[in-house]
Each structure stands twice: as C-alpha cells, then as structure tokens.
Amino acid sequence: MTAAILDGKKLAETVREEVRGGVATFTKKYGRAPGLEVILVGEDPASQIYTRNKEKAAKDVGIRGKLHVLPTGTSESTLLAELYRLNADDAVDGILVQLPLPSQIRQSRVLDAIRPDKDVDGFHPTNAGLLTSGRPSLVPCTPRGAMKLLNLAIATLAHTTLEGAHAVVVGRSNIVGKPMAQLLLAANATVTLAHSRTKDLAGTCRQADVLVAAVGKAELVRGNWVKPGAIVIDVGMNRIHVAAASPGETSKTKLVGDVAFDEAKEHAAAITPVPGGVGPMTIACLLENTLIAAQARLAARG
Ligand code: GUN
C-alpha cells in the first residue's frame, strides 16, 4: 500500500482564503481590521522566523499584525506590563507570546496573564479547561490544524470514520499532545495518550487506526510501527544533519518529522509530509483563531 499524501500547504491556503473573506466582512462591519500582536523575547533563530511568518501571514489576509521584539534580558514584570497594556487595548483581538521564553521569565505567569478571550494560542488554563470540559473556545493552533488534516484524510478515504476508531497520540505537551487527545475524544475516537515513558511504544502505535506523532524526536516512529491502513499525522519538525555526499562537500541540514516518512507511507492509507503537512496549518489556524476572537469579543457587545 502506498499512502495518500495529505497536502497541508493546499489546505492551509483554503483556510487562509476563508479567513481573508471573514476579515473583509469584519472590517466593513466594525470599521477596523482584527488586530494580532505577536511578542518575541530574545533572539532564538527559529522563533525569529516563526514570529516574522506569523506577522506576515496576518497582514496577508488583512489582519493588522504587529510583531514586538523584546531584548533577551527583559524582566518578567516588563513583559507582564506589556501584556496588561495589550489586554486593555480595545483594538487588539489576539495576543501571542512566542515560546520558549528566556529562563528568567516564568512561562506559567505569562500564559496566565493573557486575557482568555484574546488568547489566540489557546494556552490559558481557562481555554485548556473549556476544551477538556467539551466546551471548546479558542483551541491551540497546531492540534486544530492537525484535526483539519485528519478530516481531509477521512473525506479522502471515504470508508473511514473517527467514530470509535483507536487514536494513539504520542507526546503529552500542553501545546499539542493533550489538546489533540481532547479533540479526538470530542470526535468520539478511543484515545490513548502515549509518551516517552510508555511501555512498548511500538506495540501501542501498531494498534492505532489514527496515529499522531508529536514528540519532537526525528523519525522515532518507524514504518513497522504503523498498522496497515492507518492515518498518520506527523506534527514533528526536527532539523537533522545529513552527511556530505562526497569529500569536500559541506554537510547539509534537512527538516524531518517524528515519523520515518518513506517507511511509513508503505503501510499507512494516508500520511502528512514534513515539511508541507501540519506546519502550514498552524499559522492558518492562528489567523482563524484571531478572526474568531475578534468576532466573539465584538459580537458580545451586541
Ligand atoms: N512555540 C512553538 N510552538 C508554539 C505555538 O504554537 N505558539 C507559541 N506561542 N509558541 C510556540
């Protein structure tokens, strides 16, 4: 069996187009565009790329995106003061603080300080609790995007359903694993939340009708961990070194997922590639969350 490849770039473009339309309607109705404020503390190169891409993607669909870059040595109280200012600014609909943060800043203090109705990352305990209670509000962007790809897989493989399917999520982070498990549960899947300490991880994965890998370990999930006909969603983004092909040639780096793609695609019915799978969906869902947050806050005023 060779798997159907789930094209995240194409699906993300569809989501962005829908958001663009919604943003135009919002802007006409309320006389201003939705506003997204992205905060980066420090100079982590990957975070610099992610945050610039978020700002650019927002502007591209008509959202007023603004990136604030604060120095590495910024104190926790300075960052909190900035968040309180943005919380109180009526033209700001979405606030995102890029993670990880420098060690002098407590992540929990920062995430707790963002108003839940402007928390477009969906990381505030109120939003995490609402999701766990089956009353989703702002849902974390990566699992939200992964669910859209999963629904695309189900539409593509007409005979499959999530109802009663065994979904195995590998990775228990607050950003991906835990909210992903909640979304699958809400879709009536039977969910196993596995992690690095799970006994017989390979055997657990082999039981999965739907396998979601979100552990951050390059190509951990091998082809023979994939049940024939399973749907595989790879959330991993790991940069690895590739040996030089010949003496004198410099070594290169390559982006790979948590799944050994070439092996897994021979077993799965559908699989997401890396890059071009879940990655593009995350930013598209951030734009969607920003529009949802803006609409909800302004509609609440009647
Ligand atoms: N760092 C890695 N992923 C994310 C994300 O989804 N949101 C934020 N704020 N930081 C991240």
Side-chain angles (χ1 to χ4, degrees):
M1 176 182 294
T2 294
I5 311 299
L6 301 164
D7 188 344
K9 244 172 122 174
K10 193 165 152 201
L11 185 58
E13 195 43 53
T14 307
V15 173
R16 284 173 197 239
E17 276 312 310
E18 281 168 14
V19 174
R20 199 191 307 277
V23 165
T25 306
F26 179 97
T27 305
K28 212 162 153 190
K29 184 167 176 186
Y30 296 108
R32 69 161 179 87
L36 170 66
E37 308 276 329
V38 177
I39 300 177
L40 169 64
V41 186
E43 294 173 3
D44 176 72
S47 293
Q48 282 175 333
I49 295 171
Y50 293 145
T51 51
R52 269 189 229 125
N53 287 346
K54 286 171 184 179
E55 182 190 34
K56 183 175 173 299
K59 287 182 173 160
D60 207 51
V61 296
I63 290 172
R64 188 186 51 75
K66 189 166 172 214
L67 172 60
H68 305 248
V69 182
L70 304 178
T72 310
T74 300
S75 68
E76 185 178 280
S77 57
T78 302
L79 176 57
L80 290 177
E82 181 66 0
L83 292 176
Y84 298 145
R85 186 182 71 73
L86 295 172
N87 277 346
D89 185 340
D90 199 43
V92 173
D93 301 291
I95 304 169
L96 179 152
V97 178
Q98 188 67 24
L99 304 176
L101 286 163
S103 58
Q104 76 277 13
I105 300 176
R106 286 167 289 184
Q107 181 177 303
S108 57
R109 283 293 180 96
V110 170
L111 298 184
D112 290 3
I114 298 171
R115 266 175 65 151
D117 61 353
K118 295 189 179 189
D119 168 37
V120 284
D121 257 330
F123 296 163
H124 190 283
T126 295
N127 286 323
L130 285 169
L131 179 59
T132 303
S133 309
R135 296 157 54 200
S137 178
L138 289 168
V139 172
C141 305
T142 300
R144 187 179 168 90
M147 281 305 287
K148 286 185 196 284
L149 279 165
L150 188 48
N151 286 325
L152 171 67
I154 285 172
T156 309
L157 314 169
H159 60 285
T160 320
T161 170
L162 272 182
E163 189 84 24
H166 188 184
V168 175
V169 179
V170 188
R172 54 178 158 176
S173 70
N174 289 337
I175 294 182
V176 185
K178 285 181 200 159
M180 188 73 209
Q182 292 299 337
L183 291 172
L184 288 161
L185 207 50
N188 294 327
T190 302
V191 181
T192 298
L193 186 45
H195 47 81
S196 55
R197 308 271 179 93
T198 297
K199 276 189 203 159
D200 190 16
L201 188 56
T204 304
C205 289
R206 268 183 217 113
Q207 294 172 18
D209 302 308
V210 171
L211 180 57
V212 181
V215 266
K217 284 209 163 65
E219 298 178 327
L220 173 77
V221 176
R222 309 311 307 185
N224 64 4
W225 294 25
V226 176
K227 180 174 166 178
I231 300 171
V232 178
I233 306 288
D234 189 352
V235 182
M237 280 228 273
N238 312 288
R239 194 158 282 285
I240 59 164
H241 286 276
V242 186
S246 57
E249 206 182 282
T250 50
S251 72
K252 293 188 180 125
T253 66
K254 180 181 161 197
L255 203 59
V256 298
D258 291 348
V259 178
F261 180 82
D262 287 338
E263 294 173 17
K265 77 177 194 319
E266 300 305 321
H267 300 257
I271 187 167
T272 59
V274 177
V278 175
M281 295 302 294
T282 298
I283 291 192
C285 290
L286 170 66
L287 305 177
E288 201 174 48
N289 271 355
T290 304
L291 177 61
I292 291 169
Q295 285 167 335
R297 224 162 42 80
L298 271 69
R301 289 177 198 170

